[in-house]
Amino acid sequence: MKWWQRHIAKHSDRVAQLNKLDFIWGRLQPQWNIFMESMTNYYSLHGDARVPLSFVVPSEDPWPKSCWGFPLGNVAYRIRSRNDFLGRYDDVNRRAQLDGLGFVWDFSEHNFLKFFRALKHYVRLEQGIVLQSTSSRERTIRVPYKFVVPAGHENGWPCDLWGYPLGSKCMAVRQKELYIKNHPDRKSRLEDIGFRFSGNASLGWLDVVHAAAIYSQMHGRILDVPCNFVVPTPPEGIMFDASDAWPWPEHLSGLKLGQRLKDVRLKGSYLKGRDAPTRKAQLDALGFVWNPTRGRRRRGLGYTAGKDAVE
């Protein structure tokens, strides 16, 4: 009540302003009314009710004088963490007032849901995958580390996600368990939509070795891929549930397999760290040519169902 005495009771003009609003002068009700008036004005100015902990109502227009100096962020935090003002008979009504402004009761859950929603939009807009039509095993979400949600209605993203650093958030989830620590249910929800916790580098290797295995099988267990080979896009009308119609899975279309394997030879890509021996063994088993003969004749890159690859 010290704040009340200092900022309201001794200022007749502020008391008059509150009276015009049919202010209820009951115990604790004055502070609640000041809080709600501050919250309403904050919502009008910022478009949400996510008040920073350190926020104090500035002593200037367009804020009402009755709210000047009110520690809105601190009071909101105490309501969220200690249920201040909510232990009375009118608890339901007050909660309803806050819910009407979009008050965030659990910031951890709120932030996770924002991340989860951004991922689903990314899958649909950037990867062109319809979640309902594919199983989690058939899709993998790959978000570049530097990806930030683009602004502008033409990009199809919701306004509240513009500027969201989705790429760095994905890395933090994988490396620091952001949002998912002690929340196995959240981890399961991410896995259900195709989020993988092994990181983009490991996911990239899985694509490479998958495509390499198909190429090796098509070429007599020899993995000697031309540098400019790119996994072909399927012809129109191909049904992916018909295993003999087209050898390449849809998610591998456009993969620059030749360049990736060249990088393996020349730069040691994917062959660093504890997984290096296993990956080398995988390539050897596929007949990988570590030292190809220069000037070799190009292999055919196309494919016809029921036949070997042709030029």
Side-chain angles (χ1 to χ4, degrees), residues 110-119 146-151 157 159-170 173 178-179:
H110 171 80
N111 291 334
F112 169 74
L113 291 177
K114 183 175 183 179
F115 171 70
F116 187 74
R117 187 161 57 93
L119 275 178
K146 295 183 179 181
F147 180 81
V148 175
V149 174
W157 287 84
C159 300
D160 65 306
L161 292 177
W162 292 357
Y164 185 72
L166 183 58
S168 61
K169 293 292 185 182
C170 288
V173 170
L178 179 68
Y179 307 137

Side-chain angles (χ1 to χ4, degrees), residues 166-193:
L166 183 58
S168 61
K169 293 292 185 182
C170 288
M171 178 171 286
V173 170
R174 292 189 179 103
Q175 296 183 351
K176 302 178 181 179
E177 296 187 289
L178 179 68
Y179 307 137
I180 63 172
K181 190 174 183 179
N182 300 321
H183 291 280
D185 56 319
R186 295 180 182 176
K187 185 174 183 179
S188 296
R189 291 181 66 182
L190 291 175
E191 290 174 333
D192 287 343
I193 64 171

Side-chain angles (χ1 to χ4, degrees), residues 11-31:
H11 297 271
S12 58
D13 58 328
R14 297 180 182 178
V15 172
Q17 189 174 6
L18 291 172
N19 282 331
K20 291 180 179 179
L21 297 172
D22 295 326
F23 192 82
I24 300 176
W25 300 93
R27 186 176 180 273
L28 292 183
Q29 185 66 30
Q31 274 198 324

Side-chain angles (χ1 to χ4, degrees), residues 55-68:
F55 182 82
V56 175
V57 175
S59 300
E60 61 186 21
D61 292 333
W63 292 89
K65 287 186 177 181
S66 57
C67 299
W68 286 4

Side-chain angles (χ1 to χ4, degrees), residues 13-291:
D13 58 328
R14 297 180 182 178
V15 172
Q17 189 174 6
L18 291 172
N19 282 331
K20 291 180 179 179
L21 297 172
D22 295 326
F23 192 82
I24 300 176
W25 300 93
R27 186 176 180 273
L28 292 183
Q29 185 66 30
Q31 274 198 324
W32 172 257
N33 288 348
I34 293 296
F35 168 72
M36 282 306 301
E37 185 174 10
S38 299
M39 282 295 297
T40 301
N41 278 274
Y42 185 94
Y43 180 85
S44 297
L45 293 171
H46 297 271
D48 60 58
R50 300 188 293 274
V51 186
L53 176 62
S54 60
F55 182 82
V56 175
V57 175
S59 300
E60 61 186 21
D61 292 333
W63 292 89
K65 287 186 177 181
S66 57
C67 299
W68 286 4
F70 186 75
L72 182 60
N74 182 267
V75 175
Y77 171 78
R78 287 190 282 116
I79 289 174
R80 190 179 295 114
S81 60
R82 304 190 317 191
N83 287 326
D84 280 17
F85 301 111
L86 300 178
R88 301 178 51 178
Y89 63 90
D90 51 359
D91 175 40
V92 174
N93 292 332
R94 290 183 173 181
R95 285 183 179 273
Q97 284 180 283
L98 292 174
D99 288 339
L101 293 174
F103 186 77
V104 178
W105 297 95
D106 184 343
F107 264 108
S108 174
E109 181 69 10
H110 171 80
N111 291 334
F112 169 74
L113 291 177
K114 183 175 183 179
F115 171 70
F116 187 74
R117 187 161 57 93
L119 275 178
K120 292 199 295 183
H121 277 286
Y122 182 89
V123 170
R124 181 174 60 85
L125 296 173
E126 306 296 330
Q127 294 188 194
I129 298 174
V130 180
L131 293 178
Q132 290 80 1
S133 65
T134 58
S135 68
S136 59
R137 292 184 179 181
E138 297 174 332
R139 60 178 178 266
T140 298
I141 299 176
R142 291 182 181 81
V143 184
Y145 170 68
K146 295 183 179 181
F147 180 81
V148 175
V149 174
H153 293 287
E154 67 277 8
N155 295 307
W157 287 84
C159 300
D160 65 306
L161 292 177
W162 292 357
Y164 185 72
L166 183 58
S168 61
K169 293 292 185 182
C170 288
M171 178 171 286
V173 170
R174 292 189 179 103
Q175 296 183 351
K176 302 178 181 179
E177 296 187 289
L178 179 68
Y179 307 137
I180 63 172
K181 190 174 183 179
N182 300 321
H183 291 280
D185 56 319
R186 295 180 182 176
K187 185 174 183 179
S188 296
R189 291 181 66 182
L190 291 175
E191 290 174 333
D192 287 343
I193 64 171
F195 187 83
R196 301 291 177 256
F197 291 88
S198 54
N200 285 347
S202 295
L203 293 173
W205 169 252
L206 292 178
D207 279 351
V208 169
V209 75
H210 188 181
I214 296 172
Y215 190 98
S216 174
Q217 184 177 17
M218 293 171 62
H219 294 84
R221 307 302 296 177
I222 297 176
L223 188 57
D224 189 9
V225 185
C227 178
N228 61 353
F229 176 78
V230 177
V231 174
T233 300
E236 291 189 14
I238 286 291
M239 300 295 293
F240 284 94
D241 56 352
S243 59
D244 61 340
W246 185 257
W248 301 102
E250 187 176 15
H251 73 276
L252 294 178
S253 296
L255 176 68
K256 297 179 180 179
L257 181 61
Q259 184 61 51
R260 296 286 183 92
L261 293 178
K262 180 181 178 181
D263 290 342
V264 169
R265 292 189 189 97
L266 301 181
K267 302 178 182 179
S269 297
Y270 305 113
L271 300 181
K272 299 171 184 178
R274 62 182 182 181
D275 294 325
T278 301
R279 293 178 177 180
K280 287 180 180 179
Q282 287 177 303
L283 290 173
D284 287 336
L286 296 174
F288 185 58
V289 179
W290 294 92
N291 297 295

